[in-house]
Amino acid sequence: MSLAWRALRALRLRLLGPAKELVGTDQFGNKYYRVPKHETRGGRIIPERRFVEAVNREAYQYQMGDFPTEWEAWIRKKRKDPPTIEEILRNENYREEIKQKIKDVSEKDKLLQSKEYEEGLVAEPGHTQVKGHASAPYYGKKEPSEDPTSTANTFQPGAWMPPGSGSNQNK
C-alpha cells in the first residue's frame, strides 16, 4: 500500500472508527456483524459492538426466539466465538429430541394415571363448580346465584358464633 493510502485509512479510522466486519450468517439469512474495540480521536475507548441485520425485519419487530440462541448468546457477549452452522444444527436436533422425549413421557404418565384411576389406587381429582366471580356476578351463568343470601335485616351484633364453638369454650 502506498503511504498516502495508509494515511487516509488511518485518518478515517481515527475519525469514524473501524468498519463493521461480517462475522457470519444463520440458516434464515440474518447477518451478524461486529465493530472491534477502538479508540476515538478524543482518546476514549469504545468497546467491541456486536449486532445483527435481520432479513425482512424492522427493529421494532424483533421478538425473543427470532434468532438462533447460539447467535443471541454471541451478540449478548455470553460467548466469545461466533457459533458454527454445524453447532446450531446439532443443538436444534438435540432440542427436538428432548421435545419428543417430553411428549413420550407425558403420554406414558397420562396412561399410568388413567390406569391408577381405574384400579382405584388414586382418587379422581375433584371438580369444582363455578358459581360466579366476585367482579362479574353473572360469570358462567344466565342468572345470578341464590347463594349466599343476605342477613342484613335479621343480623344481631354478637349473635354469630363460629361453627363448632358451642358452650364448651375454654375461657
Side-chain angles (χ1 to χ4, degrees), residues 130-142:
V130 177
K131 290 192 175 187
H133 190 272
S135 64
Y138 299 110
Y139 177 76
K141 298 179 104 182
K142 299 274 189 235

Side-chain angles (χ1 to χ4, degrees), residues 6 23-24 32-33 42 55 60 68 70 76-78 99 106 113 120 125 129 137 151 155 162-164 166-167 170-171:
R6 279 187 289 185
V23 175
Y32 298 89
Y33 294 93
V55 174
Y60 64 90
E70 295 82 7
R76 296 175 190 274
K77 298 182 181 176
K78 303 287 184 193
K99 284 180 187 177
S106 177
Q113 280 182 358
Q129 182 179 5
T151 59
F155 179 73
S167 61
N170 292 339
K171 292 185 179 180

Side-chain angles (χ1 to χ4, degrees), residues 7-168:
L8 282 174
R9 188 169 151 213
L11 181 64
R12 183 193 64 79
L13 185 63
R14 211 62 165 125
L15 294 175
L16 303 175
K20 63 183 180 182
E21 300 171 7
L22 178 65
V23 175
T25 58
D26 63 17
Q27 64 269 33
F28 306 116
N30 301 313
K31 295 180 180 179
Y32 298 89
Y33 294 93
R34 72 181 277 272
V35 176
K37 178 179 172 181
H38 62 281
E39 185 177 343
T40 64
R41 70 178 176 191
R44 198 173 105 201
I45 302 292
I46 305 295
E48 178 185 57
R49 198 175 123 223
R50 300 172 178 181
F51 60 95
V52 61
E53 284 182 1
V55 174
N56 301 325
R57 293 272 180 162
E58 297 295 326
Y60 64 90
Q61 293 175 322
Y62 290 149
Q63 292 183 357
M64 287 297 283
D66 282 350
F67 306 109
T69 54
E70 295 82 7
W71 277 111
E72 273 193 50
W74 179 81
I75 286 176
R76 296 175 190 274
K77 298 182 181 176
K78 303 287 184 193
R79 59 183 293 158
K80 184 178 178 181
D81 299 322
T84 62
I85 291 291
E86 294 82 19
E87 177 186 4
I88 292 171
L89 293 176
R90 185 176 60 245
N91 290 344
E92 277 187 24
N93 289 337
Y94 176 74
R95 283 190 284 272
E96 288 301 318
E97 287 175 16
I98 293 296
K99 284 180 187 177
Q100 185 60 41
K101 287 180 182 179
I102 289 170
K103 185 179 174 184
D104 294 344
V105 166
S106 177
E107 289 174 4
K108 185 178 177 182
D109 187 49
K110 285 179 184 177
L111 288 173
L112 182 62
Q113 280 182 358
S114 66
K115 181 180 175 186
E116 288 175 345
Y117 290 144
E118 289 173 7
E119 294 175 358
L121 299 174
V122 178
E124 288 281 340
H127 298 286
T128 57
Q129 182 179 5
V130 177
K131 290 192 175 187
H133 190 272
S135 64
Y138 299 110
Y139 177 76
K141 298 179 104 182
K142 299 274 189 235
E143 57 191 43
S145 172
E146 296 299 321
D147 306 337
T149 58
S150 174
T151 59
N153 296 333
T154 61
F155 179 73
Q156 296 294 320
W160 182 81
M161 295 293 286
S165 64
S167 61
N168 49 353

